[in-house]
Amino acid sequence: MSKIDVFVAPRPNPALIRAMTSVNRIVMLHGIPGFRDLLPFNRLAGLRGVANVRHIDFPDLERLKASCGAGKATFITPNHPEFFTDWMIDKEIVSQVSPLTASWATNGVVNGLGRLMQKFWLANNLIAQIPGNSGAAKEHSIAWALKGHGVLLHPEGGVGWHGNIVAPLLPGAVEMGLEALKRGRATDPDFKVWIAPVVWKLAFTRNVEAALAKECAYVEKSLTIERDATDTLPQRIHHIYSALLTRDEAACGMPSDDGATYAERQQALVTELGRRLGKSISADAESTDTTDLLRRARRWQRENTGDAEGQKQVRMLADTVQRLHRVGGWASANPRITQEEIAEHLKRIRNDYCRGGLRDTMNRFIPQPAGPRCAHIRVPDPLGLHEYTGSIDDAVAELHRRMQDTVTSTVIELAAKGSFIFYPNPFYRH
């Protein structure tokens, strides 16, 4: 077993955590006033703010504070709409409610960047999430939460780049919370365990169409996709997706139905690839749940490391299904699309398809926004497991409902204030 697959307990350094919080606010989020809007300094990410979050709107801070602290175990569960910015905002949140909160992160970040970086991340109290080997991380999380410090993890799992939609949630936070409740009640019959959801929505503070068009042109050039000079910016995004889907259909040996919508073509391809993937791993041929199928595929890969040819086939099919599945039904659900949603589409395309060199690699790890933004942070009602009598599945469903309802109400609130610039959505079909 390689070191990246082995759990190493965090060793939090409070002084380093405080220092990183200060750096996070200045360099990573807000930038440096006087330089962040002045050419040529505003071209330097460290001066304008790497995540370019100029303002934080956080009216529910006290509600979150009430769920944290000594005498209770708290699992903080933010939504996960954007990579890198997630850690910046998460760190800002916990710095105000529970500074020694332990945060889950991918094992490739915590353990996979060398011994020195591993030491740095562990000192920042990051917990490595190791696929197929998460028992030690969960045990550490439960013990840490019982000390009253809090544990933060993203129940959506990976980033989907869809700020208006909360993806189906994983049950880890609820499972750990129930175990913490059992242990806490062994010594204190009044012990409380909270699942404290947090959601945030990013909105540009000005019109960024020119910057989005520039990034779109880079994507078109990188992927050798010709644009129609008459297409609007949203239509260019739709055309890129359609061209990429045509390539995937050709690679799969499926004809492209020009009369079908993007969603219809995508679903047909995902269904066929899913059928092939199921056959490759001997999964239940009747299974139609893509998430479950991908989970089975990952398990098959862990259990069949000696089958090189099978590994290659399963990996290719699973990667393609997962990539296609990341553009969900939400993309065509509304007749209008915002600049924020266009930006998310571009980041998703660059992450999934553009792999030409250092520029694309840096974009995957530290994606740069098209302009300054405000983070609107909201806290749904926390879920008290100490007073919840439903099943784990019911608790996860209730947590998802609270998070999605709060995201939706926040988007409606911001739209009513004129915070978004809208365009006709080319993915939308009646």
Side-chain angles (χ1 to χ4, degrees):
M1 183 178 292
S2 66
K3 186 172 183 178
I4 195 173
D5 297 322
V6 176
F7 176 76
V8 182
R11 295 181 288 275
N13 182 323
L16 177 62
I17 291 172
R18 288 194 297 270
M20 284 302 298
T21 298
S22 298
V23 171
N24 173 60
R25 287 173 179 163
I26 298 172
V27 179
M28 301 299 184
L29 285 175
H30 306 310
I32 301 177
F35 289 94
R36 63 190 185 188
D37 292 313
L38 185 65
L39 280 171
F41 304 109
N42 62 358
R43 294 176 180 172
L44 301 175
L47 295 181
R48 69 163 184 264
V50 178
N52 213 349
V53 176
R54 300 292 183 84
H55 312 284
I56 293 181
D57 166 33
F58 193 3
D60 302 333
L61 175 60
E62 294 304 319
R63 178 185 294 177
L64 185 58
K65 279 185 177 180
S67 301
C68 302
K72 64 194 78 170
T74 307
F75 295 85
I76 302 172
T77 56
N79 63 334
H80 206 190
E82 181 171 320
F83 191 72
F84 184 79
T85 307
D86 56 359
W87 192 57
M88 300 295 100
I89 293 180
D90 292 346
K91 195 165 183 64
E92 177 65 18
I93 290 170
V94 300
S95 72
Q96 300 186 55
V97 299
S98 183
L100 289 182
T101 292
S103 301
W104 280 52
T106 177
N107 61 328
V109 170
V110 181
N111 294 337
L113 300 176
R115 183 181 298 275
L116 192 61
M117 286 305 298
Q118 182 192 56
K119 183 178 180 180
F120 172 79
W121 292 126
L122 294 177
N124 271 281
N125 215 10
L126 262 63
I127 297 173
Q129 188 273 325
I130 303 172
N133 187 23
S134 61
K138 289 181 177 179
E139 180 62 31
H140 175 84
S141 298
I142 294 166
W144 191 254
L146 286 169
K147 294 179 180 180
H149 295 308
V151 173
L152 182 147
L153 64 162
H154 295 104
E156 289 180 272
V159 172
W161 294 101
H162 40 66
N164 294 356
I165 298 296
V166 178
L169 306 184
L170 300 170
V174 173
E175 292 171 346
M176 289 187 288
L178 289 172
E179 179 60 27
L181 180 63
K182 183 174 71 173
R183 297 184 193 183
R185 285 285 168 91
T187 56
D188 178 2
D190 295 322
F191 191 79
K192 293 180 172 58
V193 174
W194 295 100
I195 307 295
V198 179
V199 299
W200 43 270
K201 171 65 181 177
L202 292 165
F204 290 115
T205 60
R206 58 175 172 80
N207 189 330
V208 295
E209 181 172 338
L212 291 172
K214 183 178 179 180
E215 184 171 11
C216 187
Y218 170 79
V219 170
E220 290 163 339
K221 181 178 180 180
S222 177
L223 299 175
T224 61
I225 295 174
E226 293 187 11
R227 60 163 292 200
D228 188 321
T230 63
D231 278 351
T232 63
L233 180 58
Q235 288 169 338
R236 290 168 67 182
I237 300 295
H238 184 272
H239 177 65
I240 291 171
Y241 271 121
S242 296
L244 293 171
L245 184 59
T246 298
R247 295 176 186 179
D248 284 327
E249 289 169 332
C252 182
M254 285 185 63
S256 182
D257 184 355
D258 293 335
T261 65
Y262 175 86
E264 291 166 344
R265 291 171 56 201
Q266 179 204 48
Q267 183 55 53
L269 182 56
V270 168
T271 299
E272 173 58 22
L273 291 174
R275 183 191 67 79
R276 297 182 191 183
L277 179 58
K279 186 176 180 180
S280 297
I281 62 176
S282 300
D284 182 1
E286 299 300 319
S287 177
T288 57
D289 184 85
T290 303
T291 301
D292 179 62
L293 184 61
L294 291 171
R295 188 180 303 116
R296 294 187 189 189
R298 289 192 293 270
R299 185 185 307 121
W300 185 94
Q301 288 177 287
R302 291 195 299 268
E303 296 173 351
N304 295 269
T305 55
D307 184 354
E309 188 59 34
Q311 286 278 340
K312 180 180 178 181
Q313 176 73 7
V314 169
R315 187 182 304 110
M316 181 191 69
L317 287 168
D319 287 351
T320 305
V321 169
Q322 186 168 16
R323 173 164 43 78
L324 291 168
H325 192 61
R326 278 156 58 79
V327 185
W330 44 264
S332 55
N334 298 308
R336 298 191 300 173
I337 188 172
T338 65
Q339 289 191 345
E340 288 75 11
E341 290 170 299
I342 291 171
E344 290 167 352
H345 277 309
L346 284 168
K347 294 304 186 205
R348 189 184 307 106
I349 292 169
R350 291 187 67 177
N351 181 81
D352 291 350
Y353 293 93
C354 297
R355 300 182 178 273
L358 179 61
R359 181 175 178 179
D360 294 322
T361 300
M362 290 297 294
N363 177 77
R364 284 194 294 277
F365 283 98
I366 311 177
Q368 292 298 289
R373 303 175 294 175
C374 178
H376 300 274
I377 305 172
R378 300 292 184 268
V379 179
D381 288 334
L383 182 63
L385 294 184
H386 49 276
E387 56 189 11
Y388 192 80
T389 58
S391 66
I392 290 176
D393 288 345
D394 289 341
V396 172
E398 176 61 20
L399 182 63
H400 183 276
R401 183 192 66 78
R402 295 184 188 190
M403 293 176 70
Q404 183 60 68
D405 285 354
T406 306
V407 169
T408 300
S409 64
T410 303
V411 171
I412 292 172
E413 169 198 341
L414 295 176
K417 293 178 179 178
S419 298
F420 303 128
I421 295 175
F422 289 97
Y423 305 83
N425 183 7
F427 291 91
Y428 179 76
R429 295 291 186 273
H430 293 284

